[in-house]
Amino acid sequence: MYYRRNCEMSEPVASALPYSFEVLMRYRLIEIIALWEGRLTTNHLCQSFQIKRQQASKDINKYNQDIAPGNLEYDAKLKGYRPSPVFKPVFTRGIAEEYLLALASNRDISHNFSTLDLGFHQTEMLHSPMRHVDPQILRALVQAARDGEKIDMGYVSMTSPNEESRIITPHTLVCTPLRWHVRAYCEKNRDYRDFVLSRFRSINGTEGPSTNLKDQDSRWNTEVSIVLRPDPRLTDYQRAIVEHDYGMVDGIHTVKTRSALVPYVIQQLNLDLSKLEIKPEAQQIVVDNLEEVKKHAF
């Protein structure tokens, strides 16, 4: 019952596979990477689970020969495995959220706390509603980013009443507290922009290799330090509390991020850079290098 609940396997598989939790997680990752990235290699398992290549190869062969025969096909051109035309998930449901959360888990293990039975039964986690993302669209964006290609996508925005064709070169999926978006070069705006994943509507086709890749995105490659201090209007006692809350040293805490991500960090910290709250107890912290951060926030 435990494995079925947490790996969301079907009833027959759950009762027939007495494997350890770590092995089941490796099989789960095999499905997620193969399905959503379209290319699975032993490196995916080696890097994610700190196992040797021989063990990773054994896991993939065991999965494809005994557990889900024919789910994977080796592609010499890709130098890896791709999902076969008859691919059917065994350890996953084949939905976009599984891939997105797997990406987030690599950045922050806290994304997994709600699915791991660690014994913290007095813990409750709040999650923002997941926005709908079409699996085919996500797969196309991931593969275009991997291959460095331009792709023509149908996109809707709050400022346009109709679906528009956008030729973009995606390079990175980004998870913010409220949504997922893709960072991409936009041919229409001739600049790098953020596109909300749930607002893509169609795939019009690939447009070949692009020269506007991640290393050309200056805002993405510019590091910004956001220096936080307690609101100076607080009392000494209140400032001491805030300093302890944020683990401040000498009264400051520095958040390092990318220029392109500054607006989302500010949003996550619930800060208003245009004005101070009427009551200092409301916001509690301020940006010490405000003018510098403003250059990247708007």
Side-chain angles (χ1 to χ4, degrees):
M1 291 295 293
Y2 172 75
Y3 291 136
R4 186 181 70 250
R5 182 177 70 251
N6 288 282
C7 297
E8 302 194 27
M9 297 185 291
S10 62
E11 182 69 33
V13 174
S15 60
L17 297 178
Y19 298 127
S20 69
F21 179 78
E22 183 177 354
V23 172
L24 288 173
M25 290 300 98
R26 297 206 294 265
Y27 290 151
R28 180 176 172 83
L29 186 67
I30 285 173
E31 288 191 347
I32 291 173
I33 296 300
L35 181 60
W36 294 105
E37 294 197 5
R39 177 177 178 265
L40 169 74
T41 69
T42 53
N43 282 338
H44 287 109
L45 296 178
C46 293
Q47 294 174 4
S48 297
F49 295 97
Q50 300 300 303
I51 60 177
K52 294 183 179 179
R53 188 177 302 277
Q54 182 179 6
Q55 180 61 56
S57 180
K58 180 180 177 181
D59 287 337
I60 294 174
N61 289 333
K62 177 73 173 177
Y63 171 87
N64 201 39
Q65 294 174 9
D66 300 336
I67 298 174
N71 256 9
L72 304 177
E73 293 179 346
Y74 186 78
D75 189 318
K77 184 177 180 181
L78 292 176
K79 295 182 179 180
Y81 294 86
R82 58 182 175 83
S84 72
V86 296
F87 183 94
K88 184 178 180 181
V90 176
F91 298 95
T92 62
R93 290 178 293 165
I95 60 175
E97 284 79 3
E98 291 168 328
Y99 175 69
L100 297 175
L101 288 176
L103 292 180
S105 296
N106 282 337
R107 296 290 184 180
D108 186 354
I109 190 62
S110 65
H111 283 265
N112 275 340
F113 282 176
S114 62
T115 59
L116 296 180
D117 189 5
L118 300 177
F120 298 118
H121 301 297
Q122 290 73 43
T123 301
E124 183 71 25
M125 293 186 67
L126 300 180
H127 297 279
S128 299
M130 292 295 294
R131 302 194 186 193
H132 174 73
V133 180
D134 185 284
Q136 292 185 344
I137 285 176
L138 178 58
R139 189 181 301 117
L141 289 169
V142 169
Q143 293 183 359
R146 185 192 65 207
D147 298 337
E149 290 191 329
K150 295 181 285 187
I151 186 168
D152 188 345
M153 306 288 292
Y155 190 75
V156 296
S157 67
M158 300 298 288
T159 58
S160 176
N162 302 310
E163 178 180 324
E164 291 184 321
S165 171
R166 293 292 187 96
I167 299 177
I168 62 174
T169 303
H171 68 66
T172 306
L173 293 175
V174 178
C175 176
T176 75
L178 296 177
R179 71 186 190 191
W180 280 86
H181 68 259
V182 61
R183 182 76 174 170
Y185 181 83
C186 176
E187 297 287 340
K188 176 183 177 181
N189 294 292
R190 297 191 178 280
D191 195 8
Y192 290 88
R193 299 291 178 92
D194 299 337
F195 295 90
V196 182
L197 290 186
S198 59
R199 293 180 182 169
F200 287 103
R201 294 292 185 266
S202 59
I203 308 166
N204 300 325
T206 56
E207 298 286 328
S210 174
T211 57
N212 298 299
L213 305 177
K214 183 189 295 186
D215 58 358
Q216 302 296 317
D217 188 347
S218 60
R219 288 200 64 197
W220 184 260
N221 294 298
T222 299
E223 185 178 89
V224 177
S225 293
I226 303 175
V227 182
L228 304 176
R229 285 188 179 276
D231 192 313
R233 297 173 297 168
L234 295 171
T235 66
D236 290 345
Y237 174 72
Q238 290 172 324
R239 287 200 298 272
I241 292 176
V242 174
E243 289 177 10
H244 184 272
D245 285 345
Y246 288 86
M248 294 183 177
V249 178
D250 296 328
I252 65 170
H253 176 73
T254 301
V255 178
K256 294 185 181 296
T257 188
R258 302 177 186 274
S259 172
L261 300 180
V262 168
Y264 306 107
V265 176
I266 295 301
Q267 182 183 50
Q268 185 176 20
L269 292 170
N270 197 29
L271 293 173
D272 187 341
L273 301 185
S274 62
K275 64 181 185 331
L276 288 176
E277 291 281 350
I278 296 176
K279 293 184 177 181
E281 293 84 2
Q283 189 165 277
Q284 301 180 4
I285 55 174
V286 296
V287 178
D288 193 53
N289 57 333
L290 183 60
E291 295 308 314
E292 172 64 20
V293 171
K294 279 185 175 181
K295 298 175 184 177
H296 305 273
F298 303 106

